[in-house]
Amino acid sequence: TGTTIVAVAYDGGVVLGADSRVSTGTYVSNRASNKITSLCDNVYLCRSGSAADTEAISDYVRFYTSQHISETQQEPIVKSVASILYQMSYNNKGLMAAMIVAGYDAKEGGQVFGSPIGGTLVRMPWAIEGSGSTYIWSFFDDEYKEGMSQGETEQLVLKGIAHAMARDGSSGGIIRLVTVSKDGVSRKVFQGKEIPLVLGDMAEPQTNAAT
């Protein structure tokens, strides 16, 4: 599960984020992959694990969700879409798929559901998955606060993924954010110098007096 995916709920919606590096062992096979997939207009999926497995699951969930929308003629609630994914994942335990379902509906507002390998489904205020998540559990434990605004939540997700990319060799590339709220969906991409610099144990670079 060489990646870092994050989803955080706030008052009024959710923010999903992911790096873009796809690795095959020590080889980077794709440096700009999009790991945030739309399941319907108001629900999105963060994917980590086997790209083939997670893409197959997302295709099936999107298909069954579209059938559900056709039958009910209304926007699905987030829990219903998450439950479809849960059934797909739980009944196919051989798949390597650690995912996060997040979205917004008028009934419950912003919601985040974690679905680790094996098919469990748990609602949480925030969820992280992938190899990079190992390095940022304490960061989110310390930095997450109830009642955050959209802007604060987006900065939290951005900084968390940047920290993981600085430590995890299987996470990297650019950072994508998707925000889902009652106002719709917005997307942001951060690359190069737009990504927060995390020095870790290294000393901060000093300006050369000669320049």
Side-chain angles (χ1 to χ4, degrees), residues 5 22 36 48 62 74 88 93 130 149 154 170 181 205 207:
I5 55 174
V22 176
I36 306 176
S48 73
R62 191 182 304 108
Q74 60 185 6
M88 293 295 303
K93 292 183 181 294
S149 66
E154 289 178 346
S170 296
S181 68
T207 302

Side-chain angles (χ1 to χ4, degrees), residues 57 61 82-99 115-120:
I57 289 175
V61 174
S83 296
I84 296 173
L85 179 130
Y86 158 72
Q87 292 292 337
M88 293 295 303
S89 190
Y90 185 82
N91 291 325
N92 296 275
K93 292 183 181 294
L95 300 178
M96 182 177 287
M99 299 167 288
S115 180
I117 293 173
T120 304

Side-chain angles (χ1 to χ4, degrees), residues 10 81 108 115 130 145 150 159 168 182 189 191 195 200 206:
Y10 68 92
V81 180
E108 295 284 342
S115 180
K145 303 291 188 298
Q150 176 180 328
K159 290 178 181 178
D168 177 34
K182 62 180 177 61
V189 177
Q191 55 186 328
I195 298 175
Q206 300 298 316

